[in-house]
Amino acid sequence: MVYDRAVKPPTTYEEQLKILKDRNLIIPSQVRAFEVLEKVNYYRLSAYFLTFKQEGDMFKEGTTFDKIYNVYEFDRKLRNLIMEQLESTEIAFRTHIAYYIAHNFVP
């Protein structure tokens, strides 16, 4: 597959942090932010940046990296809780369907 748009060159974690700082994001701990970027990925986090941005791609006054990461962590934990419940519901549903089919359609 060929794309018409030019591909952005990759950036290092240090460059990513500089971009965020230049956009008015407060980074209380450079070390912690670096570790988060290594583990989570800038582009995965970028979806969470949107809520905290204003026009011109700048972050709202007082926005911190930790605040954004906390929202990401909340979302991750909530998703895991929901998935746990969905699994037991799915298994119960499949069990009922299999039982119904076995008792109504299998000779």
Side-chain angles (χ1 to χ4, degrees), residues 2-13:
V2 177
Y3 295 98
D4 293 334
R5 296 184 336 187
V7 176
K8 288 183 179 181
T11 55
T12 65
Y13 298 124

Side-chain angles (χ1 to χ4, degrees), residues 3 5-6 9 18 27 35 61 64-65 75-78 86 93 99 106-107:
Y3 295 98
R5 296 184 336 187
K18 182 175 178 350
I27 302 175
E35 290 169 353
E61 191 69 32
T64 66
F65 187 88
D75 187 49
R76 184 185 64 77
K77 289 174 183 177
L78 179 61
L86 281 176
F93 183 68
Y99 186 88
V106 176

